[in-house]
Amino acid sequence: MYKYAVIVAGGMGTRMGSALPKQFLPVHQKPILWYTLNSFVKSFRDIRIILVLPSEYLDAGRSVAEEFHSGHLLEIIQGGHTRFHSVQAGLSLVHEESVVFIHDAVRCFLQPSLIHHCYEEARVHGSAIPCVEPQDSIRILEGDGSRSVKRTGVRLVQTPQTFLSRIILPAYQQDFRDEFTDDASVAEASGNRIHLVEGDPGNIKVTTPVDLSLAAELLTPPHTS
Amino acid sequence: MYKYAVIVAGGMGTRMGSALPKQFLPVHQKPILWYTLNSFVKSFRDIRIILVLPSEYLDAGRSVAEEFHSGHLLEIIQGGHTRFHSVQAGLSLVHEESVVFIHDAVRCFLQPSLIHHCYEEARVHGSAIPCVEPQDSIRILEGDGSRSVKRTGVRLVQTPQTFLSRIILPAYQQDFRDEFTDDASVAEASGNRIHLVEGDPGNIKVTTPVDLSLAAELLTPPHTS
């Protein structure tokens, strides 16, 4: 079956205190985005990658993409105002009956084993949403207070959120709603039941300088060509 | 006002695939626990530390504690079967009207600035519970399915959970209940309103080998004596 990875790199995140969007911050002379793309390139020989970027970073994205000249089809498209609209733009390039991975560009620690697991589960169940149990206690804000909930009943949702194209393409034809927090919630809103799978505690978003230190420690420097 | 830090190191956590409990795993020749203790020792000249350990690690704890001979009062006591019972044991050594910090031994990235912030807020509000907004989408498990909740309405609860002694000592006189997930929920169950404060995204628990790599990267090796 065809495989598409829609890599969403819309955010201009400023929490790093850096002018560059997080996905372009360098680790061992390669941007975070390079490592994310590399995980997908390594996962399947025939995967097609659709990279969604803010307009002002299309050129930067092209120069990262140029390093992957191993026959993988890699397309770049401009994102929208929200993550929903960016994913919608990316999905407009999916033309085959396929398994579609939708992934945050800043989750650069993604392992090919999790990609394969999501692929297998989505083929059987229509979707595969990786998630992990939180390490911390959880509170839900309510009014001007909050209440405790048991963490064993809570899941932190990761990406790649993985779907059969015949489920996710129609789902993204809906109008945007504020409660669409991720792709799973979009799929549910169009009447699909989603399937949770065990994620990887290491598959975090790089969002703070602490995470960037971790990236420097964990990501293997690529061979220079 | 007096200050007590109850450091709870009851867990025998096996997720590391290691025989040693996580708080004794070494980073730059010092156990994780050393860094946690050091954060409190640095935070206030007059802080008293109560270290709660499983019975088979009391000796190991003593040898870590011996390195802090700077006039800080540090006591060690055996923990109980659950975190609740371990905290209860630790609180039995608090004899002064004070501000009490209750902290997970494996949160070794704790900054003295967060300790100070919790102290000030607890003095005013009776409690200070540090928490952060999750980076991931959140699902609540329900029946054999799950539902999405907006992450802006969710908080991940950290430690040090900080209280005036006159609030937390009576709260821990209650009988244990299964829904006591942390100290804040214990305080609430005895009729107190708790006060949330902004935590630190870097103040994570060391629970996986990935976290241990991070520790090696971020923790400063101590000067050898």
Side-chain angles (χ1 to χ4, degrees):
Chain A
M1 189 173 247
Y2 287 104
K3 296 121 195 141
Y4 282 91
V6 176
I7 314 288
V8 190
M12 301 289 287
T14 53
R15 259 173 295 192
M16 284 291 185
S18 145
L20 264 184
K22 292 165 287 183
Q23 61 270 19
F24 289 109
L25 290 176
V27 172
H28 302 306
Q29 281 85 56
K30 297 282 186 190
I32 289 287
L33 176 61
W34 185 92
Y35 297 92
T36 306
L37 291 174
N38 193 43
S39 292
F40 281 100
V41 167
K42 284 189 299 186
S43 68
F44 289 108
R45 289 174 64 94
D46 60 346
I47 196 165
R48 297 163 185 216
I49 295 174
I50 298 162
L51 177 58
V52 188
L53 288 169
S55 59
E56 52 280 52
Y57 289 95
L58 292 170
D59 283 343
R62 274 183 208 107
S63 56
V64 178
E66 272 166 15
E67 298 194 32
F68 297 96
H69 34 62
S70 51
H72 288 85
L73 193 64
L74 197 155
E75 290 179 278
I76 297 182
I77 191 169
Q78 184 179 325
H81 185 58
T82 68
R83 186 181 186 285
F84 176 89
H85 296 100
S86 293
V87 174
Q88 208 172 40
L91 292 176
S92 72
L93 299 178
V94 174
H95 302 300
E96 253 82 37
E97 178 87 13
S98 54
V99 169
V100 181
F101 305 94
I102 305 175
H103 188 67
D104 302 324
V106 291
R107 290 193 195 262
C108 56
F109 303 117
L110 175 64
Q111 299 295 318
S113 56
L114 182 57
I115 301 175
H116 290 146
H117 183 57
C118 288
Y119 176 79
E120 297 300 335
E121 293 283 313
R123 286 203 65 168
V124 175
H125 298 280
S127 64
I129 311 299
C131 42
V132 293
E133 189 179 314
Q135 293 300 319
D136 302 306
S137 295
I138 301 289
R139 288 198 161 254
I140 307 282
L141 304 183
E142 282 181 335
D144 63 346
S146 65
R147 68 182 167 87
S148 176
V149 294
K150 291 206 84 154
R151 72 179 190 188
T152 52
V154 178
R155 291 295 177 272
L156 305 178
V157 185
Q158 306 184 329
T159 70
Q161 302 200 358
T162 309
F163 303 90
L164 293 175
S165 58
R166 66 168 182 265
I167 287 174
I168 200 64
L169 292 183
Y172 265 95
Q173 297 301 312
Q174 297 171 86
D175 289 334
F176 173 67
R177 286 191 243 158
D178 195 40
E179 65 264 31
F180 289 162
T181 56
D182 59 0
D183 315 299
S185 55
V186 175
E188 279 181 325
S190 63
N192 299 288
R193 193 178 163 84
I194 60 144
H195 175 62
L196 304 184
V197 302
E198 188 65 29
D200 173 1
N203 179 28
I204 62 167
K205 283 184 186 173
V206 171
T207 50
T208 64
V210 166
D211 300 332
L212 201 64
S213 295
L214 181 63
E217 176 81 1
L218 292 184
L219 296 176
T220 311
H223 300 290
T224 45
S225 54
Chain B
M1 190 173 249
Y2 286 104
K3 297 122 195 143
Y4 282 92
V6 176
I7 314 287
V8 191
M12 301 289 288
T14 54
R15 259 173 296 192
M16 285 291 183
S18 145
L20 264 184
K22 294 164 287 184
Q23 60 270 20
F24 289 109
L25 289 176
V27 172
H28 303 305
Q29 281 84 56
K30 296 283 185 192
I32 290 286
L33 175 61
W34 185 93
Y35 296 93
T36 306
L37 291 174
N38 194 41
S39 292
F40 281 100
V41 167
K42 283 190 300 185
S43 68
F44 289 107
R45 290 175 63 95
D46 59 345
I47 195 165
R48 296 161 186 220
I49 296 174
I50 299 162
L51 176 59
V52 188
L53 287 169
S55 59
E56 53 278 53
Y57 289 95
L58 292 171
D59 283 342
R62 273 182 209 109
S63 56
V64 179
E66 274 166 14
E67 299 196 31
F68 296 96
H69 33 59
S70 49
H72 289 83
L73 193 65
L74 197 154
E75 289 180 278
I76 299 183
I77 190 168
Q78 185 179 327
H81 185 59
T82 68
R83 186 182 186 286
F84 175 88
H85 295 101
S86 292
V87 173
Q88 208 171 38
L91 291 176
S92 72
L93 300 178
V94 174
H95 301 300
E96 253 82 36
E97 178 88 15
S98 56
V99 169
V100 181
F101 305 94
I102 304 174
H103 187 68
D104 302 324
V106 291
R107 291 194 193 262
C108 55
F109 303 117
L110 175 64
Q111 299 296 318
S113 56
L114 181 58
I115 300 174
H116 290 145
H117 183 56
C118 288
Y119 176 78
E120 297 301 334
E121 292 283 312
R123 287 203 64 167
V124 175
H125 299 280
S127 65
I129 311 299
C131 44
V132 294
E133 190 180 314
Q135 293 299 319
D136 302 306
S137 295
I138 302 289
R139 288 197 160 255
I140 307 282
L141 303 184
E142 283 181 335
D144 63 345
S146 65
R147 68 183 166 84
S148 176
V149 293
K150 293 207 83 158
R151 72 177 188 188
T152 51
V154 178
R155 291 295 178 273
L156 304 177
V157 184
Q158 307 184 329
T159 69
Q161 301 198 0
T162 310
F163 303 89
L164 293 176
S165 58
R166 67 167 182 265
I167 287 175
I168 200 63
L169 293 182
Y172 264 94
Q173 297 301 313
Q174 296 172 87
D175 288 334
F176 174 67
R177 286 190 243 159
D178 196 41
E179 66 264 33
F180 289 161
T181 57
D182 60 0
D183 316 299
S185 56
V186 175
E188 278 181 325
S190 63
N192 299 287
R193 195 179 163 84
I194 60 145
H195 174 62
L196 304 184
V197 303
E198 188 65 27
D200 173 0
N203 179 26
I204 62 167
K205 281 184 187 172
V206 171
T207 50
T208 65
V210 166
D211 300 332
L212 201 64
S213 295
L214 182 63
E217 176 79 2
L218 291 184
L219 296 177
T220 311
H223 299 290
T224 44
S225 52

